[in-house]
Amino acid sequence: MTRKPFDELTIADDFMFCKVMEDESLCKTFLELLLTGKVGKITYLSSQNAVTTHSEAKSIRLDVLVKDETGKSYDVEMQVGNEHNLPKRMRYYQAALDVSFLDQGYSYQTLNDSYIIFICLFDPIGSNRAVYSFENICIEDTSIPLQDGAKKIILNAGAFEQTDNHELQGFLRYVKTGELTTDYTKRIESMIQTVKMSEQARQEYRFKSAVIMDAEDRGSRQAKFETAAAFKRLGIDIAKIAEGTGLSVEEIEKL
């Protein structure tokens, strides 16, 4: 399987999406235009890092995970291909995040409110909506929310014309077509061009692509260890190896 050339990457590609969202202003603006309210200062918890509940559990690779000053967390994912598993995938992401946030001995009340947001180039629900928002409610009386603090949002870029939110429509149009119709999308495009001029970003993409392709070709946890060991011998930063393979820093240090 060949990877898209670095110079052809767009906002819809995981690597470039993460690079763009590493800019606090761009990330915060996206959250505010989606949630139609001020978010406040954000802190980055993850950018394409793996989260797992224990050594035998399936790890998840997060695109962007941030927390605002009120403690709410936001996991934002770009999804290009439809694997027909998005609802169950969101369920697993929520579970893994909750377990990772809740330290042993702490009360359940300390679990922070969270948003899991998937930006899709397709319609995983099939109702031609630009935005699908979900939270747990009482079936017998839908006016009663469970108030568990967990919300999930799916954005369908293909239906960008179905939202009256001008800024969100512009963003989804840009994701789907590349058209620049708002100041925000022009800022994103400017950031993408800046990233493409960075030799460090180019090398990082090449490294991640090599790791991913190796894992796909050989398809096992053992292959990840062998790949990590090889890169460690080459003197590549352990944090970067962990980011690319999904293994923990501790596991790589023991190799």
Side-chain angles (χ1 to χ4, degrees):
M1 177 180 179
T2 58
R3 293 280 158 182
K4 182 185 288 189
F6 180 75
D7 291 323
E8 296 178 12
L9 296 178
T10 70
I11 187 65
D13 294 292
D14 272 353
F15 180 85
M16 189 59 74
F17 175 70
C18 292
K19 283 299 178 187
V20 167
M21 290 297 160
E22 283 178 3
D23 182 279
E24 181 179 346
S25 175
L26 291 174
C27 184
K28 194 160 82 72
T29 299
F30 166 73
L31 294 175
E32 289 177 343
L33 69 86
L34 174 60
L35 303 175
T36 62
K38 291 293 183 182
V39 170
K41 184 175 178 58
I42 59 175
T43 303
Y44 287 83
L45 304 177
S46 172
S47 179
Q48 284 216 320
N49 288 334
V51 171
T52 186
T53 54
H54 55 80
S55 61
E56 300 302 319
K58 179 181 177 64
S59 64
I60 56 174
R61 184 166 302 284
L62 304 177
D63 282 352
V64 179
L65 177 61
V66 300
K67 181 179 287 188
D68 69 18
E69 56 193 9
T70 69
K72 292 187 182 74
S73 66
Y74 307 84
D75 169 38
V76 188
E77 305 288 327
M78 180 64 70
Q79 189 73 17
V80 175
N82 189 356
E83 299 178 9
H84 305 284
N85 63 2
L86 201 60
K88 294 292 181 68
R89 186 173 175 185
M90 296 182 92
R91 172 181 166 182
Y92 188 81
Y93 274 42
Q94 184 68 63
L97 287 175
D98 285 347
V99 171
S100 66
F101 280 140
L102 188 63
D103 293 330
Q104 187 174 6
Y106 279 74
S107 164
Y108 292 117
Q109 286 296 114
T110 63
L111 277 175
N112 58 306
D113 289 355
S114 64
Y115 289 82
I116 295 182
I117 304 164
F118 272 72
I119 306 167
C120 303
L121 268 67
F122 54 91
D123 187 347
I125 306 301
S127 295
N128 195 38
R129 288 182 174 273
V131 183
Y132 298 96
S133 301
F134 301 93
E135 61 181 296
N136 291 319
I137 59 173
C138 176
I139 294 175
E140 289 75 17
D141 183 347
T142 56
S143 69
I144 304 174
L146 183 61
Q147 295 184 322
D148 59 352
K151 297 183 180 180
K152 301 174 180 65
I153 300 174
I154 298 173
L155 300 178
N156 169 22
F160 59 83
E161 292 181 338
Q162 302 304 315
T163 177
D164 294 329
N165 182 329
H166 173 72
E167 290 297 325
L168 181 59
Q169 181 182 117
F171 173 76
L172 294 177
R173 182 193 296 268
Y174 173 64
V175 171
K176 185 66 177 180
T177 70
E179 295 179 55
L180 300 170
T181 59
T182 64
D183 288 341
Y184 178 57
T185 55
K186 290 174 184 176
R187 287 167 57 202
I188 293 176
E189 184 64 23
S190 177
M191 174 61 72
I192 288 177
Q193 297 310 315
T194 298
V195 171
K196 287 182 177 180
M197 289 188 291
S198 167
E199 184 59 31
Q200 180 178 344
R202 186 180 297 272
Q203 293 298 329
E204 185 179 342
Y205 178 68
R206 188 175 300 161
F207 164 69
K208 287 187 175 181
S209 296
V211 170
I212 292 170
M213 289 179 70
D214 183 73
E216 288 177 348
D217 289 342
R218 298 157 72 183
S220 71
R221 185 169 171 80
Q222 182 58 35
K224 291 184 179 182
F225 279 110
E226 293 173 4
T227 300
F231 281 120
K232 186 180 179 184
R233 288 195 295 271
L234 292 173
I236 293 175
D237 182 69
I238 288 179
K240 289 293 183 185
I241 299 175
E243 195 173 310
T245 61
L247 299 174
S248 70
V249 170
E250 292 75 17
E251 288 173 322
I252 296 169
E253 287 176 339
K254 292 177 182 177
L255 294 175

